[in-house]
Amino acid sequence: MIAAMIVLGIETSCDETGLALYHSERGLIGQVLYSQVALHASYGGVVPELASRDHIRKIIPLTEKLLTESGIGRDQLDAVAYTAGPGLMGALLVGATFGRTLAWALGVPALGVHHMEAHLLAPLLGASPPSLPFVALLVSGGHTQLMLAHDVGQYEMLGESRDDAAGEAFDKAAKMLDLGYPGGPRIAAAAQSGTPKRFRFPRPMTDRPGLEFSFSGLKTFTLNTIAANRPLSEQDVADVAHAFEEAVVDTLFIKCRRALQQTGVRTLVMAGGVAANSKLRERLQKDLDAAVHYAEPALCTDNGAMIAYAGALRLEAGQREALHIETRARWPMTELQGLAS
Ligand code: KG4
Ligand code: ZN
Protein backbone atom coordinates (compact mmCIF):
# COMPACT_ATOMS: atom_id res chain seq x y z
CA MET A 1 0.00 0.00 0.00
CA ILE A 2 1.27 3.50 -0.84
CA ALA A 3 1.61 5.66 2.28
CA ALA A 4 -0.57 8.79 2.55
CA MET A 5 1.05 11.93 1.19
CA ILE A 6 0.73 15.63 1.97
CA VAL A 7 1.33 18.08 -0.88
CA LEU A 8 1.75 21.83 -0.42
CA GLY A 9 0.24 23.76 -3.36
CA ILE A 10 1.36 27.29 -4.24
CA GLU A 11 -0.49 29.60 -6.65
CA THR A 12 1.02 32.95 -7.66
CA SER A 13 0.22 33.26 -11.39
CA CYS A 14 -1.73 36.52 -11.15
CA ASP A 15 -3.11 38.59 -8.27
CA GLU A 16 -3.84 35.94 -5.67
CA THR A 17 -1.32 34.35 -3.33
CA GLY A 18 -2.98 31.00 -2.63
CA LEU A 19 -1.59 28.11 -0.62
CA ALA A 20 -3.14 24.82 0.42
CA LEU A 21 -2.36 21.36 1.77
CA TYR A 22 -3.79 18.30 0.06
CA HIS A 23 -3.73 14.98 1.91
CA SER A 24 -4.02 11.96 -0.37
CA GLU A 25 -6.51 10.25 1.96
CA ARG A 26 -8.22 13.12 3.81
CA GLY A 27 -8.44 15.58 0.90
CA LEU A 28 -7.89 19.28 1.56
CA ILE A 29 -6.61 19.85 5.08
CA GLY A 30 -5.82 23.57 4.97
CA GLN A 31 -6.08 26.62 2.74
CA VAL A 32 -5.03 30.27 2.85
CA LEU A 33 -5.66 32.91 0.22
CA TYR A 34 -4.52 36.48 0.02
CA SER A 35 -6.13 38.58 -2.69
CA GLN A 36 -4.31 41.63 -4.07
CA VAL A 37 -7.57 43.18 -5.31
CA ALA A 38 -7.22 46.29 -3.13
CA LEU A 39 -3.64 46.83 -4.34
CA HIS A 40 -4.63 46.90 -8.02
CA ALA A 41 -8.11 48.44 -7.72
CA SER A 42 -7.07 52.04 -8.32
CA TYR A 43 -5.33 51.00 -11.59
CA GLY A 44 -8.44 49.25 -12.91
CA GLY A 45 -6.55 45.99 -13.47
CA VAL A 46 -3.54 43.95 -12.42
CA VAL A 47 -0.18 45.74 -12.53
CA PRO A 48 2.31 42.86 -13.09
CA GLU A 49 5.28 44.33 -11.24
CA LEU A 50 3.19 45.25 -8.20
CA ALA A 51 1.77 41.73 -8.22
CA SER A 52 5.24 40.12 -8.16
CA ARG A 53 6.42 42.32 -5.31
CA ASP A 54 3.34 41.60 -3.22
CA HIS A 55 3.69 37.83 -3.74
CA ILE A 56 7.25 38.16 -2.40
CA ARG A 57 5.97 39.96 0.69
CA LYS A 58 3.21 37.46 1.42
CA ILE A 59 4.45 34.03 0.44
CA ILE A 60 6.54 33.14 3.50
CA PRO A 61 4.18 34.46 6.20
CA LEU A 62 1.25 32.78 4.42
CA THR A 63 3.06 29.44 4.27
CA GLU A 64 3.80 29.67 7.99
CA LYS A 65 0.16 30.59 8.70
CA LEU A 66 -1.09 27.62 6.67
CA LEU A 67 1.19 25.14 8.42
CA THR A 68 0.39 26.50 11.89
CA GLU A 69 -3.38 26.58 11.31
CA SER A 70 -3.36 23.06 9.88
CA GLY A 71 -1.12 21.67 12.62
CA ILE A 72 1.30 20.33 10.02
CA GLY A 73 5.06 20.56 10.41
CA ARG A 74 7.36 21.30 7.48
CA ASP A 75 8.89 17.85 7.89
CA GLN A 76 5.50 16.27 7.18
CA LEU A 77 5.37 17.67 3.62
CA ASP A 78 5.88 14.99 0.97
CA ALA A 79 6.05 17.34 -2.02
CA VAL A 80 5.66 20.97 -3.08
CA ALA A 81 3.56 21.85 -6.14
CA TYR A 82 3.66 25.33 -7.63
CA THR A 83 2.06 27.02 -10.63
CA ALA A 84 4.64 26.98 -13.45
CA GLY A 85 2.40 28.73 -16.00
CA PRO A 86 0.59 30.14 -17.84
CA GLY A 87 0.49 33.51 -16.09
CA LEU A 88 2.43 36.69 -15.38
CA MET A 89 6.12 35.80 -15.63
CA GLY A 90 7.32 37.75 -12.59
CA ALA A 91 4.45 36.51 -10.44
CA LEU A 92 5.02 32.90 -11.52
CA LEU A 93 8.72 33.15 -10.73
CA VAL A 94 8.00 34.08 -7.10
CA GLY A 95 5.94 30.94 -6.40
CA ALA A 96 8.19 28.73 -8.52
CA THR A 97 11.43 29.89 -6.92
CA PHE A 98 9.99 29.65 -3.42
CA GLY A 99 8.35 26.27 -4.06
CA ARG A 100 11.36 24.70 -5.78
CA THR A 101 13.73 25.98 -3.09
CA LEU A 102 11.53 24.81 -0.22
CA ALA A 103 11.27 21.35 -1.79
CA TRP A 104 15.05 21.21 -2.19
CA ALA A 105 15.62 22.30 1.40
CA LEU A 106 13.19 19.66 2.68
CA GLY A 107 14.57 16.98 0.38
CA VAL A 108 11.16 16.29 -1.21
CA PRO A 109 10.00 16.37 -4.85
CA ALA A 110 8.74 19.53 -6.53
CA LEU A 111 6.07 19.66 -9.24
CA GLY A 112 5.45 22.51 -11.67
CA VAL A 113 1.70 22.60 -12.30
CA HIS A 114 -0.20 23.94 -15.33
CA HIS A 115 -2.59 26.58 -14.02
CA MET A 116 -5.42 25.77 -16.45
CA GLU A 117 -5.13 22.03 -15.88
CA ALA A 118 -5.45 22.75 -12.16
CA HIS A 119 -8.64 24.78 -12.86
CA LEU A 120 -9.96 21.92 -14.97
CA LEU A 121 -9.27 19.33 -12.25
CA ALA A 122 -10.69 21.41 -9.36
CA PRO A 123 -14.25 20.00 -9.77
CA LEU A 124 -12.77 16.56 -9.05
CA LEU A 125 -12.23 17.76 -5.47
CA GLY A 126 -16.02 17.84 -4.95
CA ALA A 127 -18.28 15.28 -3.31
CA SER A 128 -19.51 13.72 -6.59
CA PRO A 129 -16.61 14.11 -9.00
CA PRO A 130 -17.15 13.77 -12.77
CA SER A 131 -15.68 10.77 -14.53
CA LEU A 132 -13.48 11.08 -17.60
CA PRO A 133 -13.80 11.66 -20.49
CA PHE A 134 -15.58 15.01 -20.23
CA VAL A 135 -15.89 18.25 -22.13
CA ALA A 136 -14.36 21.13 -20.18
CA LEU A 137 -15.32 24.77 -20.52
CA LEU A 138 -12.36 26.74 -19.21
CA VAL A 139 -13.28 30.35 -18.64
CA SER A 140 -10.90 32.62 -16.79
CA GLY A 141 -9.34 36.07 -17.04
CA GLY A 142 -6.86 34.89 -19.66
CA HIS A 143 -8.51 31.87 -21.32
CA THR A 144 -11.74 30.79 -22.95
CA GLN A 145 -11.38 27.23 -24.17
CA LEU A 146 -13.43 24.15 -24.84
CA MET A 147 -11.35 21.03 -24.26
CA LEU A 148 -12.06 17.36 -24.58
CA ALA A 149 -10.41 15.79 -21.54
CA HIS A 150 -9.75 12.14 -22.48
CA ASP A 151 -7.83 11.53 -19.28
CA VAL A 152 -5.77 13.55 -16.80
CA GLY A 153 -3.05 15.21 -18.89
CA GLN A 154 -4.62 14.21 -22.22
CA TYR A 155 -6.47 17.16 -23.58
CA GLU A 156 -7.77 17.90 -27.05
CA MET A 157 -8.53 21.50 -27.95
CA LEU A 158 -12.01 21.85 -29.42
CA GLY A 159 -12.07 25.63 -29.68
CA GLU A 160 -10.84 28.79 -28.03
CA SER A 161 -11.15 32.55 -28.15
CA ARG A 162 -9.55 34.35 -31.06
CA ASP A 163 -9.24 37.51 -29.00
CA ASP A 164 -10.41 38.45 -25.49
CA ALA A 165 -11.15 35.81 -22.86
CA ALA A 166 -14.62 35.75 -21.30
CA GLY A 167 -13.30 36.99 -17.94
CA GLU A 168 -11.34 39.73 -19.67
CA ALA A 169 -14.54 40.83 -21.44
CA PHE A 170 -16.34 41.01 -18.06
CA ASP A 171 -13.44 43.05 -16.66
CA LYS A 172 -13.41 45.48 -19.60
CA ALA A 173 -17.19 45.94 -19.61
CA ALA A 174 -17.10 46.63 -15.87
CA LYS A 175 -14.42 49.26 -16.42
CA MET A 176 -16.54 50.98 -19.08
CA LEU A 177 -19.46 51.03 -16.65
CA ASP A 178 -17.25 52.38 -13.84
CA LEU A 179 -18.04 49.31 -11.77
CA GLY A 180 -14.42 48.69 -10.83
CA TYR A 181 -12.21 45.63 -10.72
CA PRO A 182 -12.49 42.63 -10.81
CA GLY A 183 -15.32 43.01 -13.26
CA GLY A 184 -17.02 39.61 -13.25
CA PRO A 185 -18.57 39.72 -9.79
CA ARG A 186 -19.37 43.48 -10.17
CA ILE A 187 -21.22 42.98 -13.47
CA ALA A 188 -23.08 39.98 -11.99
CA ALA A 189 -24.17 42.04 -8.97
CA ALA A 190 -25.28 45.04 -11.07
CA ALA A 191 -27.10 42.77 -13.55
CA GLN A 192 -29.42 41.51 -10.82
CA SER A 193 -31.45 44.73 -10.93
CA GLY A 194 -31.26 45.00 -14.72
CA THR A 195 -34.38 45.19 -16.89
CA PRO A 196 -34.59 42.03 -19.01
CA LYS A 197 -34.74 42.60 -22.77
CA ARG A 198 -34.17 46.38 -22.67
CA PHE A 199 -30.93 45.86 -24.64
CA ARG A 200 -29.98 42.90 -26.77
CA PHE A 201 -26.26 42.30 -27.23
CA PRO A 202 -24.86 40.05 -29.99
CA ARG A 203 -23.93 36.39 -29.43
CA PRO A 204 -20.57 36.41 -31.25
CA MET A 205 -19.73 33.56 -33.65
CA THR A 206 -22.80 31.50 -32.78
CA ASP A 207 -24.30 31.89 -36.27
CA ARG A 208 -21.49 29.94 -37.92
CA PRO A 209 -20.30 26.41 -37.29
CA GLY A 210 -17.33 25.66 -35.06
CA LEU A 211 -16.31 26.08 -31.45
CA GLU A 212 -14.22 29.23 -31.65
CA PHE A 213 -15.08 32.27 -29.54
CA SER A 214 -14.61 35.99 -30.00
CA PHE A 215 -15.47 38.54 -27.33
CA SER A 216 -13.87 41.72 -28.62
CA GLY A 217 -16.97 42.70 -30.65
CA LEU A 218 -19.05 42.60 -27.47
CA LYS A 219 -16.69 45.17 -26.02
CA THR A 220 -17.32 47.55 -28.92
CA PHE A 221 -21.06 46.93 -28.69
CA THR A 222 -20.97 47.74 -24.97
CA LEU A 223 -19.02 50.92 -25.63
CA ASN A 224 -21.50 52.03 -28.33
CA THR A 225 -24.50 51.26 -26.13
CA ILE A 226 -23.00 53.32 -23.32
CA ALA A 227 -22.23 56.22 -25.70
CA ALA A 228 -25.78 56.21 -27.04
CA ASN A 229 -27.31 56.39 -23.56
CA ARG A 230 -25.09 58.92 -21.77
CA PRO A 231 -25.34 60.09 -19.02
CA LEU A 232 -25.99 56.65 -17.53
CA SER A 233 -28.35 56.35 -14.59
CA GLU A 234 -27.87 53.54 -12.07
CA GLN A 235 -30.68 51.70 -13.84
CA ASP A 236 -28.98 52.13 -17.23
CA VAL A 237 -25.79 50.60 -15.79
CA ALA A 238 -27.77 47.66 -14.44
CA ASP A 239 -29.54 47.19 -17.79
CA VAL A 240 -26.28 47.20 -19.78
CA ALA A 241 -24.69 44.79 -17.25
CA HIS A 242 -27.71 42.51 -17.54
CA ALA A 243 -27.65 42.45 -21.35
CA PHE A 244 -23.87 41.92 -21.37
CA GLU A 245 -23.96 39.04 -18.90
CA GLU A 246 -26.84 37.42 -20.74
CA ALA A 247 -24.96 37.62 -24.06
CA VAL A 248 -21.83 35.99 -22.60
CA VAL A 249 -23.82 33.27 -20.82
CA ASP A 250 -25.89 32.53 -23.93
CA THR A 251 -22.79 32.38 -26.15
CA LEU A 252 -20.99 30.00 -23.79
CA PHE A 253 -24.13 27.87 -23.50
CA ILE A 254 -24.52 27.56 -27.31
CA LYS A 255 -20.88 26.52 -27.74
CA CYS A 256 -21.02 23.99 -24.88
CA ARG A 257 -24.15 22.40 -26.36
CA ARG A 258 -22.38 22.20 -29.71
CA ALA A 259 -19.23 20.67 -28.18
CA LEU A 260 -21.28 17.98 -26.43
CA GLN A 261 -23.15 17.19 -29.65
CA GLN A 262 -19.94 17.07 -31.65
CA THR A 263 -18.08 14.75 -29.24
CA GLY A 264 -21.01 12.64 -28.09
CA VAL A 265 -19.77 13.13 -24.50
CA ARG A 266 -22.47 13.60 -21.85
CA THR A 267 -20.47 15.24 -19.06
CA LEU A 268 -19.49 18.89 -18.93
CA VAL A 269 -17.06 20.40 -16.45
CA MET A 270 -16.88 24.18 -16.13
CA ALA A 271 -13.87 25.73 -14.48
CA GLY A 272 -11.96 29.00 -14.04
CA GLY A 273 -13.02 32.30 -12.50
CA VAL A 274 -16.04 32.89 -14.77
CA ALA A 275 -17.39 29.46 -13.72
CA ALA A 276 -18.18 31.17 -10.40
CA ASN A 277 -20.91 33.10 -12.26
CA SER A 278 -24.26 31.89 -10.97
CA LYS A 279 -26.21 32.75 -14.14
CA LEU A 280 -23.80 30.64 -16.18
CA ARG A 281 -24.01 27.76 -13.71
CA GLU A 282 -27.83 27.85 -13.73
CA ARG A 283 -28.08 28.04 -17.49
CA LEU A 284 -25.72 25.14 -18.22
CA GLN A 285 -27.23 23.02 -15.47
CA LYS A 286 -30.80 23.68 -16.62
CA ASP A 287 -30.55 23.64 -20.40
CA LEU A 288 -27.74 21.23 -21.31
CA ASP A 289 -28.56 17.59 -21.87
CA ALA A 290 -25.53 16.55 -19.82
CA ALA A 291 -24.27 16.12 -16.27
CA VAL A 292 -22.77 19.51 -15.41
CA HIS A 293 -20.01 19.73 -12.81
CA TYR A 294 -18.29 22.72 -11.27
CA ALA A 295 -16.28 23.45 -8.19
CA GLU A 296 -17.58 25.58 -5.31
CA PRO A 297 -17.10 29.29 -6.20
CA ALA A 298 -13.97 29.70 -4.03
CA LEU A 299 -12.30 26.86 -5.94
CA CYS A 300 -13.28 28.33 -9.34
CA THR A 301 -11.22 31.48 -8.92
CA ASP A 302 -7.47 31.21 -8.35
CA ASN A 303 -6.49 29.21 -5.26
CA GLY A 304 -3.75 26.98 -3.90
CA ALA A 305 -6.00 23.94 -3.42
CA MET A 306 -6.31 23.19 -7.12
CA ILE A 307 -2.52 23.40 -7.48
CA ALA A 308 -1.94 21.04 -4.54
CA TYR A 309 -4.46 18.58 -6.00
CA ALA A 310 -3.10 18.66 -9.56
CA GLY A 311 0.41 18.24 -8.11
CA ALA A 312 -0.70 15.29 -5.96
CA LEU A 313 -2.10 13.46 -9.00
CA ARG A 314 1.19 13.85 -10.85
CA LEU A 315 3.23 12.95 -7.76
CA GLU A 316 1.22 9.73 -7.35
CA ALA A 317 2.01 8.95 -10.99
CA GLY A 318 5.72 9.29 -10.20
CA GLN A 319 6.32 12.62 -11.94
CA ARG A 320 8.91 15.08 -10.57
CA GLU A 321 10.54 18.37 -11.57
CA ALA A 322 14.26 18.57 -12.13
CA LEU A 323 16.29 21.05 -10.05
CA HIS A 324 16.09 23.88 -12.58
CA ILE A 325 13.17 26.29 -12.39
CA GLU A 326 11.11 26.74 -15.53
CA THR A 327 8.06 28.97 -15.81
CA ARG A 328 6.05 29.71 -18.94
CA ALA A 329 3.92 32.78 -19.55
CA ARG A 330 2.18 30.90 -22.38
CA TRP A 331 1.71 27.15 -22.27
CA PRO A 332 -0.76 25.20 -24.42
CA MET A 333 -2.49 22.56 -22.32
CA THR A 334 -2.33 20.12 -25.22
CA GLU A 335 1.45 19.88 -24.65
CA LEU A 336 0.98 18.24 -21.24
CA GLN A 337 1.93 14.63 -20.55
CA GLY A 338 -0.58 12.05 -19.39
CA LEU A 339 -0.11 10.40 -16.00
CA ALA A 340 1.09 7.13 -17.52
CA SER A 341 3.75 8.64 -19.77
O1 KG4 B 1 -9.45 31.93 -12.88
P1 KG4 B 1 -9.33 33.32 -12.40
O2 KG4 B 1 -9.52 33.59 -10.93
O3 KG4 B 1 -7.94 33.92 -12.80
C1 KG4 B 1 -7.34 33.62 -14.01
O4 KG4 B 1 -6.74 32.53 -14.13
O5 KG4 B 1 -7.52 34.47 -14.93
O6 KG4 B 1 -10.37 34.18 -13.26
C2 KG4 B 1 -10.50 35.55 -13.06
C3 KG4 B 1 -11.60 36.05 -13.95
C4 KG4 B 1 -11.73 37.56 -13.92
O7 KG4 B 1 -11.78 38.04 -15.26
C5 KG4 B 1 -13.04 37.79 -13.19
O8 KG4 B 1 -13.70 38.97 -13.60
C6 KG4 B 1 -13.82 36.54 -13.56
O9 KG4 B 1 -12.87 35.51 -13.55
N1 KG4 B 1 -14.89 36.25 -12.60
C7 KG4 B 1 -16.19 36.25 -12.91
C8 KG4 B 1 -16.90 36.00 -11.70
N2 KG4 B 1 -15.98 35.82 -10.70
C9 KG4 B 1 -14.75 35.97 -11.29
N3 KG4 B 1 -16.83 36.49 -14.07
C10 KG4 B 1 -18.17 36.45 -14.07
N4 KG4 B 1 -18.91 36.22 -12.95
C11 KG4 B 1 -18.33 35.99 -11.76
N5 KG4 B 1 -19.08 35.77 -10.68
ZN1 ZN C 1 -6.97 31.11 -12.94
Side-chain angles (χ1 to χ4, degrees):
M1 199 185 82
I2 304 170
M5 291 181 306
I6 299 177
V7 180
L8 167 67
I10 303 170
E11 156 61 30
T12 64
S13 70
C14 191
D15 60 346
E16 246 102 36
T17 320
L19 294 126
L21 293 170
Y22 180 78
H23 187 289
S24 57
E25 284 169 3
R26 290 160 53 202
L28 287 175
I29 54 172
Q31 288 191 66
V32 288
L33 184 77
Y34 175 79
S35 170
Q36 302 178 352
V37 162
L39 175 70
H40 302 288
S42 59
Y43 301 95
V46 180
V47 183
E49 192 48 35
L50 293 182
S52 316
R53 291 181 201 183
D54 210 41
H55 286 308
I56 292 173
R57 275 192 288 268
K58 299 293 172 354
I59 198 157
I60 293 174
L62 277 175
T63 306
E64 283 170 350
K65 182 170 186 265
L66 173 70
L67 293 173
T68 308
E69 283 179 2
S70 320
I72 297 292
R74 262 180 253 175
D75 55 347
Q76 288 174 271
L77 299 179
D78 295 290
V80 180
Y82 57 85
T83 306
L88 301 172
M89 200 42 130
L92 288 168
L93 274 170
V94 177
T97 309
F98 174 73
R100 188 68 200 81
T101 309
L102 179 64
W104 183 80
L106 297 174
V108 300
L111 298 119
V113 168
H114 191 292
H115 182 84
M116 296 311 294
E117 179 182 49
H119 270 305
L120 178 145
L121 296 173
L124 272 67
L125 280 165
S128 52
S131 50
L132 289 138
F134 54 70
V135 168
L137 172 70
L138 296 176
V139 269
S140 70
H143 293 77
T144 299
Q145 299 176 325
L146 272 164
M147 290 271 180
L148 176 55
H150 294 283
D151 207 338
V152 175
Q154 294 185 332
Y155 309 114
E156 187 183 332
M157 178 75 79
L158 300 173
E160 65 183 324
S161 180
R162 292 183 174 181
D163 40 60
D164 293 355
E168 192 179 357
F170 268 102
D171 294 337
K172 287 178 177 168
K175 205 169 178 178
M176 292 176 208
L177 290 168
D178 286 330
L179 289 171
Y181 154 88
R186 307 275 177 105
I187 293 263
Q192 282 189 347
S193 40
T195 318
K197 301 199 167 59
R198 173 165 168 214
F199 299 113
R200 183 175 162 90
F201 281 39
R203 274 62 171 152
M205 300 189 67
T206 52
D207 55 350
R208 58 183 106 163
L211 296 169
E212 304 272 283
F213 301 89
S214 166
F215 289 106
S216 70
L218 258 186
K219 196 170 54 187
T220 315
F221 198 90
T222 308
L223 205 59
N224 292 343
T225 308
I226 292 171
N229 290 278
R230 277 201 200 286
L232 294 192
S233 66
E234 207 173 307
Q235 188 60 50
D236 293 333
V237 170
D239 294 348
V240 172
H242 188 279
F244 176 87
E245 184 182 50
E246 201 176 60
V248 176
V249 167
D250 204 32
T251 303
L252 294 175
F253 162 73
I254 291 168
K255 298 283 166 148
C256 286
R257 186 178 54 190
R258 207 176 274 176
L260 292 165
Q261 277 163 356
Q262 189 175 309
T263 56
V265 170
R266 299 289 296 273
T267 307
L268 183 104
V269 164
M270 54 191 288
V274 183
N277 185 282
S278 50
K279 286 270 171 56
L280 180 63
R281 289 165 170 248
E282 276 164 32
R283 183 78 199 280
L284 299 188
Q285 189 105 59
K286 186 164 73 68
D287 292 340
L288 281 179
D289 183 20
V292 176
H293 294 260
Y294 39 74
E296 58 182 270
L299 293 184
C300 285
T301 46
D302 290 349
N303 63 84
M306 65 182 194
I307 306 300
Y309 179 62
L313 290 182
R314 292 191 172 272
L315 180 74
E316 278 169 359
Q319 297 183 8
R320 309 276 183 274
E321 283 300 295
L323 270 183
H324 69 275
I325 296 165
E326 190 182 353
T327 51
R328 292 179 63 175
R330 292 176 188 278
W331 187 3
M333 233 169 97
T334 45
E335 288 179 13
L336 284 172
Q337 285 185 356
L339 294 185
S341 47

